[in-house]
Amino acid sequence: MVRLAGALRALGHRVQLVELGAGQGPWGYLRARARVATAIREVAPDVVHVHYGSASLAVPRTSVPIVTSFIGDDLNGTPDRFGRTTWKSRVEVLLSHYGAWRSMRCITVSASLRSRLRSAALRGKTVVIRDAVDPAVFRPLPRAAARERLGLPPGAVLVIFPHDTTQPTKRLWLAEAAVAELQRRLPAAALWVVNGKAPDEMPWYYAAADTMIVTSMREGGPSSVKEALACGIPVVSVSVGDTELFREVPDDTRVAADNPTDLAAALHDVLKVPRERRSLLPTSLHLEVAARAIAALYREAIAT
């Protein structure tokens, strides 16, 4: 969100961010209403852009057009460790639909996420603007220099897992099983779990890796796939999230069934091909392109 705001400012737009408070749920958003009302009164914006569906609860009644971005669990729901959608997240999905109903326009980060909106009317006012990456930040860096910087052995074959391991939906166990299977063919292979790092540091972690794995049960994007490609490493993923990307970058992504054997085979497939470290990300997924698309949507919302 901060990088998007910067890209919009670079295009000449005035952007004021209002922090709502992460992890506090619907009640936290309701408590933030007074701060949002004050910001609307003082800034007099042309549009209010809400990031995350149920966060629209923080926006008081207003004549200013609202644009809401949906990013994943707000429409997919959050599964528990048994794969069942939790009751709390079911409520948040309903609140997200309320937010979509209030909004003049909506954004989802993938076509599959847009399909989660339950009415044709809501889907009709929703556009897909996919996760985008700032190529000035996420860029290819020398693998050897990255490993030296991070104190990693030069000979290891590292499969990076840059996902929140506290979320059952990320299925760390499946990534572990896939890499254990890969080690039968490639003993030097190791799963490298990386999370909680500053965004500006992540390019060094991607640079030190040989490939990335995604084993999530549900995803909106994820943005990490685009980051990894921008940094020049191939990606192996189950069929989840922004599946269009796999067709756009067929030589550097592999889609596998969600079982260890197929994932290991796909990992072995991408690892056996020598690659020059260059950006693998389509230019259509650069941050400036997304910012221009969002600015055009703002103009639509204002004109409606």
Side-chain angles (χ1 to χ4, degrees):
M1 188 189 316
V2 173
R3 294 195 190 282
L4 174 60
L8 288 166
R9 290 185 183 114
L11 294 175
H13 303 288
R14 185 166 59 103
V15 181
Q16 176 70 47
L17 296 178
V18 179
E19 177 59 50
L20 302 180
Q24 298 181 34
W27 292 114
Y29 295 139
L30 288 172
R31 286 192 294 270
R33 273 196 167 208
R35 284 187 284 117
V36 175
T38 299
I40 291 174
R41 185 171 60 253
E42 293 178 349
V43 176
D46 296 301
V47 66
V48 174
H49 190 168
V50 177
H51 291 263
Y52 200 79
S54 57
S56 64
L57 289 175
V59 182
R61 183 177 296 181
T62 178
S63 59
V64 179
I66 300 170
V67 172
T68 298
S69 284
F70 299 97
I71 60 175
D73 283 6
D74 44 4
L75 289 179
N76 283 330
T78 305
D80 60 20
R81 62 191 181 92
F82 301 108
R84 297 187 295 259
T85 303
T86 65
W87 283 105
K88 177 183 176 183
S89 73
R90 291 184 189 190
V91 171
E92 293 207 339
V93 169
L94 291 175
L95 292 173
S96 291
H97 279 77
Y98 168 69
W101 173 78
R102 291 186 69 196
S103 300
M104 193 65 69
R105 290 287 187 273
C106 299
I107 298 168
T108 59
V109 296
S110 66
S112 62
L113 193 61
R114 178 179 176 272
S115 71
R116 302 289 292 185
L117 288 163
R118 297 174 184 173
S119 78
L122 296 182
R123 293 191 296 273
K125 64 178 178 180
T126 300
V127 300
V128 177
I129 301 178
R130 297 152 70 197
D131 284 331
V133 169
D134 184 352
V137 176
F138 293 95
R139 65 204 187 281
L141 295 167
R143 178 178 179 271
R147 293 206 172 185
E148 182 177 357
R149 178 187 177 106
L150 299 173
L152 297 168
V157 177
L158 297 179
V159 180
I160 191 170
F161 185 89
H163 315 293
D164 184 355
T165 58
T166 66
Q167 297 183 32
T169 186
K170 303 301 182 183
R171 297 196 293 190
L172 173 61
W173 63 268
L174 181 55
E176 291 172 334
V179 173
E181 183 70 24
L182 174 65
Q183 287 169 339
R184 297 173 184 269
R185 301 194 210 180
L186 199 60
L191 184 67
W192 186 31
V193 178
V194 175
N195 49 57
K197 306 300 180 184
D200 289 348
E201 280 294 304
M202 280 306 298
W204 289 104
Y205 287 86
Y206 289 123
D210 295 288
T211 186
M212 173 179 153
I213 189 169
V214 179
T215 51
S216 304
M217 186 184 303
R218 303 174 187 173
E219 282 287 358
S223 58
S224 56
V225 172
K226 281 95 169 181
E227 294 170 357
L229 291 171
C231 291
I233 66 169
V235 175
V236 170
S237 175
V238 296
S239 184
V240 68
D242 185 7
T243 55
E244 184 179 347
L245 184 60
F246 306 133
R247 296 188 292 273
E248 293 173 332
V249 193
D251 296 333
D252 302 298
T253 58
R254 292 290 186 278
V255 182
D258 57 351
N259 65 71
T261 302
D262 278 15
L263 283 162
L267 288 168
H268 187 264
D269 192 27
V270 300
L271 288 167
K272 70 182 181 183
V273 178
R275 284 178 172 81
E276 176 189 354
R277 283 296 170 98
R278 58 180 179 80
S279 177
L280 308 173
L281 188 73
T283 56
S284 60
L285 293 174
H286 286 186
L287 183 60
E288 182 185 349
V289 176
R292 290 186 183 279
I294 289 172
L297 190 70
Y298 290 164
R299 288 190 285 270
E300 285 183 19
I302 295 164
T304 301

